[in-house]
Amino acid sequence: MEMRNCVKCKRPFTYRGVPICQDCEKDEEKVFDEVRTYIKQHPDVTLAVVSEVTGCSHKKILRWIKEGRIEISQASFGEIACESCGKPITKGRYCEKCVIKINNQVSDTFGKETISTQTKIDSKTGKAKMHIKGRG
Ligand SMILES: [Zn+2]
Ligand SMILES: [Zn+2]
């Protein structure tokens, strides 16, 4: 077993892959709950206010939002931007448009593959024939 000093309270603890001790981890969860509840009850609140009320740092709240653990109802936080286009977002890493764009790129590739596997050689004419649903 490896002993480490908690990065938060500096007390030695048994290391389990997280840099903080169990007590501090519990504290973090408590703060997380507070932050989440507060944002739920005050959907129009700004990051500065949440931080002040809960005593939780901006950085930590933003991390939770990016991880998708907390969802804010509007872009008033103004501090998270879509990693693709820079538009302010309320949750995760990309805005809705970019999520759709990324999904389309994926299905485009899939679509092409489906068509090529459906191209079969016609046994009578010996020519490649496209099999498209609803036609021919
Ligand atoms: Zn600790
Ligand atoms: Zn975007």
Side-chain angles (χ1 to χ4, degrees):
M1 259 196 262
E2 187 188 346
M3 293 299 285
R4 286 204 184 185
N5 283 329
C6 171
V7 294
K8 224 175 150 192
C9 67
K10 314 286 180 212
R11 281 190 308 224
F13 73 106
T14 317
Y15 185 65
R16 303 152 290 123
V18 260
I20 54 172
C21 71
Q22 247 162 331
D23 285 346
C24 290
E25 212 183 351
K26 252 184 233 158
D27 277 356
E28 285 238 319
E29 284 306 307
K30 222 172 80 190
V31 173
F32 170 74
D33 268 351
E34 264 175 52
V35 170
R36 196 182 48 183
T37 310
Y38 191 83
I39 290 174
K40 232 182 198 171
Q41 288 167 348
H42 307 83
D44 293 333
V45 79
T46 62
L47 181 56
V49 174
V50 182
S51 173
E52 206 185 299
V53 171
T54 61
C56 184
S57 71
H58 285 208
K59 224 172 116 186
K60 208 177 272 174
I61 300 171
L62 282 174
R63 201 189 69 206
W64 287 330
I65 295 167
K66 285 206 170 187
E67 285 171 358
R69 295 179 70 191
I70 295 178
E71 186 174 356
I72 54 174
S73 66
Q74 57 160 344
S76 69
F77 276 42
E79 286 180 55
I80 347 173
C82 168
E83 286 182 18
S84 176
C85 71
K87 205 181 120 182
I89 51 173
T90 56
K91 193 191 167 193
R93 295 169 60 194
Y94 301 102
C95 72
E96 265 175 63
K97 264 191 186 169
C98 290
V99 169
I100 292 168
K101 218 164 71 189
I102 291 161
N103 283 341
N104 277 348
Q105 276 167 4
V106 174
S107 61
D108 260 8
T109 324
F110 267 113
K112 273 170 200 151
E113 268 171 26
T114 318
I115 287 168
S116 69
T117 55
Q118 280 176 347
T119 309
K120 286 173 186 164
I121 306 293
D122 191 297
S123 58
K124 278 177 192 164
T125 62
K127 280 179 190 166
K129 196 177 171 187
M130 292 277 272
H131 291 260
I132 298 164
K133 224 182 170 183
R135 261 193 242 171

